[in-house]
Amino acid sequence: MRIDSQQLHRVSLSAEDGRYNELGFADRSSRASDETGPMAVREPDDKALIVDGSAAGGQSTAWKTVEFVVPADLRAEEATSKPPDGTYAWMVIAACFVSLMLSIGINDAFGVYQQEYQLNEFPEASASLISWIGTIQFLVMCIGGVFSGFLCEHFDTRVLNAIGAVIMGAAFIAGSFCKSVELLMVTQGLLYGLGASFPFVAGTAIPSQWFIKRQGLATGIALSGSGIGGMWMTSATSALIRTLGRPWAMRVTGIIAMVAVLLVSPWMRVRLVPHRSERIVDWALVKDRRFCLFLAALVFAIAAYFGPFYQVPSYSVVVLHKSETWGSNMDTLMNGLSVVGRLSVGMLADMVGPLNLLVANTALAALSLLVLWVPFDSVGTLIAVDLLFGFAIGGIVSVIPVVAAQ
């Protein structure tokens, strides 16, 4: 008997055929094997039923129709003998933490560059034009993630992570010599986004593979790297620009990003090798209504992710008449709260459920902007937005991979 692992099947079985205690998944094709072991099946009324060796008992029973639900991860092969939830798994989490700390943290700190470009370097350019640098950076990182994910299925993620590190560093070093907004769109925006897409995809997807018992917590710790990176990168970038100037600030940042991500790349390995597809995009997923709804929700939720991070520093100076340092500190505060959100929501996800927390944090992020930031222009409301939006957006990022994996 063969079961197609990509579809939901109704299969008639009985104890008479002696197969109850032989149902298992021994290989990627999900072939019934001689290995014993429990297997979850679903009856038509959606009540769970566990079929194992004791179900048959050598007694004859009537035929019964059940539905087999085969999760996608059962089609994956183990890429290493190292067990999940162990010491090596935490080393992988640390590597993902560092990769995301630099790749996403630098993106989070773009608000400081926006402030520098808008107030000092390109005062004649509009704020919307300058913001396209950061927009392209994040857009290419996300769109490039589609192709990076495809490459991660076919090539070693450790090598791809190292390639991304080199591209990230080269992009910022090249951007340090640019004297126009358009050239910065190409280097700091397009090229950096392309390089960052590799550690972004690997660092987001790998953690959940290495943990079974504390999947939500481990993923939250790994993803908190982006918030911590944004927190210290914002302050460091501001300090570098004040002391060395924008060109050297970019060179130092590029070198740090390249060296640090290269050093942790040997631990950026997958535990499970998924079923390899020759197609870059698996359009069969479009037929899954749950996937389409989840994707549509993320498109709108993540669209507002970097807006506050990019605009708060310059908003603080132009609208609230605060100093540039104060504005960058507000960005640091927001990134700090996003770390708290990632960790706390990651821990709660294992108890409350990741989908419930995703909905709650999305609502909190939206309300903090619509109720507090849009109607009011005051220091108090901006601090409240920093606290609430930072926490909520961190929680959203923390549980997205867990929801997707489930």
Side-chain angles (χ1 to χ4, degrees):
M1 181 182 68
R2 298 181 72 86
I3 301 174
D4 185 352
S5 61
Q6 295 184 358
Q7 299 180 18
L8 182 67
H9 285 268
R10 290 176 180 269
V11 182
S12 295
L13 296 173
S14 77
E16 287 181 327
D17 64 13
R19 304 293 291 181
Y20 272 111
N21 61 344
E22 297 180 13
L23 291 176
F25 296 120
D27 58 22
R28 197 168 62 197
S29 62
S30 300
R31 183 184 62 201
S33 73
D34 292 332
E35 297 180 3
T36 61
M39 174 181 170
V41 301
R42 183 178 297 166
E43 295 188 60
D45 61 358
D46 289 336
K47 293 181 180 179
L49 173 66
I50 302 296
V51 180
D52 56 24
S54 63
Q59 300 179 358
S60 177
T61 59
W63 288 85
K64 188 180 182 82
T65 300
V66 293
E67 291 181 353
F68 288 85
V69 181
V70 184
D73 59 354
L74 290 177
R75 294 188 286 119
E77 296 177 336
E78 290 191 358
T80 175
S81 59
K82 298 183 184 299
D85 300 300
T87 302
Y88 189 85
W90 285 109
M91 294 173 65
V92 173
I93 295 300
C96 293
F97 178 94
V98 173
S99 293
L100 292 174
M101 180 177 68
L102 275 304
S103 60
I104 307 297
I106 290 175
N107 202 315
D108 285 344
F110 176 75
V112 178
Y113 287 105
Q114 168 95 16
Q115 182 186 69
E116 174 66 16
Y117 296 148
Q118 185 175 341
L119 300 179
N120 301 317
E121 199 161 341
F122 308 112
E124 73 285 352
S126 64
S128 59
L129 177 64
I130 295 172
S131 67
W132 269 104
I133 301 172
T135 301
I136 293 173
Q137 190 180 82
F138 184 59
L139 177 66
V140 174
M141 185 172 63
C142 292
I143 295 178
V146 176
F147 300 95
S148 299
F150 175 78
L151 292 174
C152 286
E153 290 182 357
H154 293 77
F155 302 99
D156 194 329
T157 51
R158 293 169 291 184
V159 175
L160 295 174
N161 202 69
I163 293 173
V166 174
I167 297 176
M168 287 164 52
F172 256 58
I173 293 172
S176 68
F177 296 98
C178 295
K179 302 297 183 182
S180 68
V181 175
E182 291 75 16
L183 288 177
L184 286 167
M185 287 182 186
V186 175
T187 54
Q188 189 177 3
L190 177 64
L191 189 58
Y192 178 84
L194 179 63
S197 66
F198 290 103
F200 169 61
V201 170
T204 303
I206 289 176
S208 60
Q209 295 186 5
W210 283 93
F211 284 85
I212 297 174
K213 298 178 181 178
R214 299 177 179 178
Q215 190 180 74
L217 174 61
T219 303
I221 292 174
L223 295 181
S224 68
S226 59
I228 291 177
M231 186 168 60
W232 75 264
M233 282 300 303
T234 299
S235 299
T237 300
S238 178
L240 286 170
I241 290 176
R242 288 197 307 270
T243 56
L244 302 178
R246 194 270 302 177
W248 271 105
M250 295 189 72
R251 290 164 199 158
V252 172
T253 301
I255 293 171
I256 291 174
M258 181 166 52
V259 172
V261 178
L262 278 174
L263 287 175
V264 301
S265 290
W267 289 274
M268 293 292 291
R269 65 184 303 176
V270 297
R271 191 179 72 85
L272 301 172
V273 179
H275 173 68
R276 290 180 172 88
S277 173
E278 297 304 320
R279 296 170 295 180
I280 296 179
V281 180
D282 186 358
W283 295 108
L285 288 173
V286 178
K287 300 177 182 178
D288 190 328
R289 184 176 61 181
R290 296 173 304 167
F291 174 80
C292 291
L293 290 173
F294 184 57
L295 177 62
L298 291 186
V299 167
F300 287 99
I302 301 302
Y305 184 113
F306 284 108
F309 288 100
Y310 289 173
Q311 299 300 329
V312 160
S314 55
Y315 173 86
S316 301
V317 175
V318 176
V319 178
L320 300 182
H321 308 293
K322 294 293 184 178
S323 66
E324 295 181 16
T325 302
W326 193 89
S328 64
N329 288 340
M330 292 301 293
D331 224 10
T332 301
L333 176 64
M334 192 183 300
N335 278 293
L337 265 294
S338 74
V339 175
V340 177
R342 284 169 169 85
L343 293 174
S344 59
V345 173
M347 288 187 290
L348 289 174
D350 295 323
M351 297 179 289
V352 181
L355 183 59
N356 296 329
L357 292 173
L358 178 61
V359 173
N361 279 274
T362 302
L364 178 60
L367 290 174
S368 67
L369 298 180
L370 293 174
V371 177
L372 295 177
W373 199 6
V374 174
F376 305 102
D377 291 327
S378 67
V379 173
T381 54
L382 183 60
I383 293 175
V385 169
D386 263 30
L387 298 175
L388 296 176
F389 182 83
F391 178 89
I393 204 66
I396 291 172
V397 173
S398 178
V399 294
I400 285 176
V402 183
V403 174
Q406 293 182 353

